[in-house]
Amino acid sequence: MTVPEFVPYPDRYVPDAPAETVIGQFHDVLRRRRSVREFSDAPVSRAVIEGLVRVAGSAPSGANKQPWRFVAVGDPELKRAIRVAAEREERAFYEQRANAEWLADLAPLGTDPDKGFLEVAPWLIVAFMLLRDDDGGQVYYAKESIGLACGMLLAAAQFAGLATLTHTPSPMGFLRELLGRPEHERPFLLIPVGWPADACRVPAAALARKSLAQLLVYDRPSGRDA
Ligand code: IYR
């Protein structure tokens, strides 16, 4: 086995304030993100979409295989076709597929099969997970990897004041067909991107977050850290 080349960590980011401070600032931006279903139709530039996808593409991935592709849909007719197909699946979900517990969990969010936002938002970014890389090689931890990439994309959008939604019409196979993607690409997440509508409202129930006591468990009491 040849020894791989290592280089000094290039261009390492060092913040100019203590970690507690910058994390607090980051949290203050991200905690104000809401999943939005009422978008403005105001345009978002390609430069913005490209920036978001560059951020996503900077995510870590299994063996650095980067098992993702992002398709940005801005064409009104294609958005309409996606809406029609998504609403067909969503109607089946709400009327037949979802069990009572799932429907009860969704009730506070006020969601329904009408997905008008798929036409209103200026862009739909469809994240595809690669089941094989483009030259047929294996990929690893693809779900984890693309999940991280999408999380980073959502964070970048929030940082820019843009609204996003993580929409998962189920099943999503129609996206591969409508967008003409090859067999080794599987739709993972449909992310409408735009500015929130001026009169945008969000469900009050979605504001609640688990407390730190619910989120975090330490291995030992404080005072014993190195
Ligand atoms: N896909 C449906 C239902 C839905 C499911 C979950 I889990 C949500 O957090 C929200 C909605 C829809 O988009 O309406």
Side-chain angles (χ1 to χ4, degrees):
M1 271 260 277
T2 56
V3 179
E5 183 193 6
F6 275 69
V7 294
Y9 189 158
D11 202 21
R12 180 181 155 209
Y13 169 65
V14 181
D16 53 16
E20 293 84 345
T21 307
V22 292
I23 291 165
Q25 292 165 345
F26 192 63
H27 180 218
D28 195 46
V29 176
L30 284 202
R31 72 177 178 76
R32 289 188 273 168
R33 179 188 176 278
R34 304 286 169 248
S35 284
V36 157
R37 293 178 176 80
E38 294 173 0
F39 286 85
S40 157
D41 62 3
V44 166
S45 74
R46 285 187 180 223
V48 166
I49 297 303
E50 288 161 20
L52 294 177
V53 171
R54 278 199 178 93
V55 169
S58 71
S61 63
N64 195 30
K65 292 283 183 167
Q66 306 168 59
W68 45 59
R69 180 155 287 108
F70 299 90
V71 179
V73 180
D75 176 62
E77 280 180 25
L78 201 44
K79 288 195 293 182
R80 174 154 193 78
I82 289 173
R83 174 186 180 177
V84 167
E87 287 183 341
R88 190 175 305 128
E89 299 296 359
E90 294 293 274
R91 262 191 300 278
F93 171 83
Y94 282 95
E95 286 165 16
Q96 303 149 34
R97 291 197 201 117
N99 64 21
E101 182 176 355
W102 198 341
L103 291 175
D105 281 339
L106 291 180
L109 303 182
T111 56
D112 61 37
D114 180 14
K115 302 302 174 192
F117 55 76
L118 291 173
E119 284 192 81
V120 178
W123 293 99
L124 308 177
I125 298 181
V126 186
F128 285 87
M129 180 172 81
L130 303 197
L131 306 175
R132 293 242 152 211
D133 71 17
D134 288 330
D135 46 27
Q138 294 186 154
V139 296
Y140 310 97
Y141 301 101
K143 258 193 187 175
E144 291 83 349
S145 302
I146 193 170
L148 294 167
C150 289
M152 289 169 52
L153 188 154
L154 298 184
Q158 170 63 12
F159 205 57
L162 287 160
T164 52
L165 175 66
T166 52
H167 183 41
T168 52
S170 168
M172 283 201 272
F174 67 87
L175 288 167
R176 198 173 68 75
E177 280 139 47
L178 280 177
L179 299 176
R181 303 312 305 168
E183 292 259 354
H184 71 290
E185 297 187 10
R186 175 180 295 171
F188 179 77
L189 202 55
L190 172 44
I191 309 173
V193 177
W195 308 105
D198 287 339
C200 178
R201 292 164 315 145
V202 297
L207 307 186
R209 285 291 189 260
K210 288 186 176 178
S211 69
L212 193 63
Q214 291 169 301
L215 291 171
L216 176 61
V217 177
Y218 279 110
D219 63 331
R220 57 187 180 170
S222 62
R224 297 219 197 147
D225 298 338

